[in-house]
């Protein structure tokens, strides 16, 4: 039986004041589709309010002009046990974000480990508190060499998982941690071997289907009970509710145009 009790969390988010879609580095981004930045800011504020209303602490980082994807704070770093493994972005358009996030973490007094390998932070790293290990994605953005580097930086075992569907280019578009030992994932986003690994490690996982994944239903943040999830992902919300979680739908339609949703906007600060 899953213990679905909430624990209060601390998150880092970046307001989408400079958000737009001016380049395309994933299949969701269409530079010809109009983006309503003011609406994105309002939707993002609703997300922040939902987090604080559920007892969580929200920190924000100052957005920088010319870095439209900086709103996806999950990519800025990956933190476990108070130590931060910094990001190193795959595409030049996002590379300056790494320094902005590094500055924030250092100023806040966290132990910061600078990476030498390409990795996109919590976009491709997830922490499972019960067994105390890290799940790490590769195939599109993060270099598998960064998995070993993260394990060394953070002193936690790392399980590497290969992503094979470019619509789900970051681990956090295909898999999420729901509580200390339960995850949810969309099996077809992973190679056959990685699917086998996931089945072995997580026999009780909540299995998502293609519709759930396409609705960004896996790009969620859970506090162990309340699950903040993209409002479009109604099927996913129903699955979560049937497993004892409480779905909190958040409308982030504007940010989906950049290829991200709830989880992409949130970096969890694990003390
Ligand atoms: N436009 C961004 C990119 O392609 C979206 C990042 C989404 N973030 C995430 N954690 N999946 O890099």
């Amino acid at each position: 039986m899953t213990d679905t009790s909430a624990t209060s969390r601390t998150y880092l988010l970046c307001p989408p004041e400079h958000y737009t879609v001016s380049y395309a580095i994933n299949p969701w981004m269409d530079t010809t589709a109009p983006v309503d930045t003011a609406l994105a800011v309002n939707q993002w504020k609703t997300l922040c309010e939902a987090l604080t209303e559920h007892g969580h602490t929200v920190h924000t980082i100052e957005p920088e002009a010319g870095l439209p994807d900086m709103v996806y704070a999950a990519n800025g770093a990956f933190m476990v046990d108070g130590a931060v493994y910094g990001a190193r972005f795959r595409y030049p358009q996002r590379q300056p974000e790494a320094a902005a996030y590094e500055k924030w973490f250092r100023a806040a007094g966290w132990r910061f480990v600078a990476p030498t390998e390409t990795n996109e932070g919590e976009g491709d790293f997830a922490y499972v508190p019960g067994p105390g290990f890290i799940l790490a994605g590769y195939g599109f953005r993060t270099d598998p060499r960064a998995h070993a580097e993260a394990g060394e930086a953070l002193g936690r075992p790392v399980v590497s998982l290969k992503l094979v569907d470019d619509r789900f280019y970051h681990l956090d578009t295909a898999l999420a941690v729901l509580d200390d030992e339960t995850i949810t994932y969309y099996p077809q986003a992973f190679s056959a071997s990685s699917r086998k690994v996931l089945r072995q490690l997580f026999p009780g996982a909540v299995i998502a289907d293609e519709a759930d994944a396409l609705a960004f239903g896996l790009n969620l943040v859970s506090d162990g009970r309340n699950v903040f999830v993209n409002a479009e992902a109604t099927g996913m919300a129903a699955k979560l509710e049937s497993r004892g979680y409480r779905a909190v739908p958040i409308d982030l339609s504007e940010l989906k145009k950049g290829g991200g949703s709830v989880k992409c906007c949130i970096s969890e600060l694990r003390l």
Side-chain angles (χ1 to χ4, degrees), residues 25-26 29 69 72 74-75 94 123 141 169-170 172-173 258-259 264:
I25 54 172
N26 70 57
M29 299 175 87
D69 275 339
Y72 303 112
N75 301 125
R94 296 197 67 185
R141 298 292 182 89
Y169 57 94
H170 273 142
D172 72 1
T173 63
C264 298

Side-chain angles (χ1 to χ4, degrees), residues 31-269:
T31 56
T32 64
V35 170
D36 185 339
T37 303
L39 178 57
V41 171
N42 283 335
Q43 292 176 336
W44 177 88
K45 281 186 183 153
T46 306
L47 170 63
C48 291
E49 280 158 20
L51 296 172
T52 53
E53 275 161 19
H54 284 84
H56 305 300
T57 303
V58 170
H59 294 286
T60 56
I61 179 173
E62 195 64 35
E64 292 188 12
L67 297 177
D69 275 339
M70 200 176 158
V71 59
Y72 303 112
N75 301 125
F78 174 57
M79 173 187 256
V80 184
D81 307 323
V84 185
Y85 175 58
R88 195 178 161 102
F89 288 81
R90 160 106 18 215
Y91 293 109
Q93 293 96 329
R94 296 197 67 185
Q95 279 163 2
E97 292 179 41
Y101 280 96
E102 174 172 354
K103 207 169 128 206
W104 190 91
F105 280 103
R106 286 196 192 274
W110 302 106
R111 186 168 76 77
F112 188 90
V113 184
T116 60
E117 306 295 348
T118 298
N119 82 88
E120 298 197 347
E122 281 204 310
D124 276 320
F125 290 110
Y127 180 63
V128 193
F133 57 58
I134 294 165
L135 300 176
Y138 71 100
F140 297 103
R141 298 292 182 89
T142 295
D143 190 305
R145 284 174 295 197
H147 296 182
E149 195 176 55
E152 190 57 34
L154 302 171
R156 294 282 179 177
V158 180
V159 178
S160 290
L161 301 166
K162 184 173 184 179
L163 295 162
V164 295
D165 181 333
D166 70 349
R167 298 171 300 172
F168 311 113
Y169 57 94
H170 273 142
L171 183 70
D172 72 1
T173 63
L175 179 151
V177 177
L178 291 169
D179 60 36
D180 280 1
E181 39 257 353
T182 313
I183 67 162
T184 178
Y185 66 101
Y186 171 49
Q188 285 72 24
F190 296 90
S191 71
S193 299
S194 293
R195 286 208 285 270
K196 191 172 155 202
V197 170
L198 287 168
R199 275 198 306 273
Q200 285 174 55
L201 292 176
F202 301 101
V206 177
I207 301 296
D209 61 24
E210 188 182 31
D212 299 327
L214 286 172
F216 271 80
L218 289 155
N219 197 246
L220 59 79
V221 166
S222 174
D223 64 18
R225 167 156 176 76
N226 304 293
V227 182
F228 305 91
V229 60
N230 189 27
E232 275 173 74
T234 49
M236 190 67 205
K239 268 177 208 171
L240 294 168
E241 298 263 350
S242 76
R243 290 283 293 261
Y245 300 96
R246 203 178 145 262
V248 183
I250 311 282
D251 181 3
L252 288 179
S253 60
E254 286 309 298
L255 290 160
K256 195 182 172 200
K257 294 174 181 171
S261 187
V262 175
K263 173 61 211 169
C264 298
C265 293
I266 301 176
S267 174
E268 182 167 350
L269 308 186

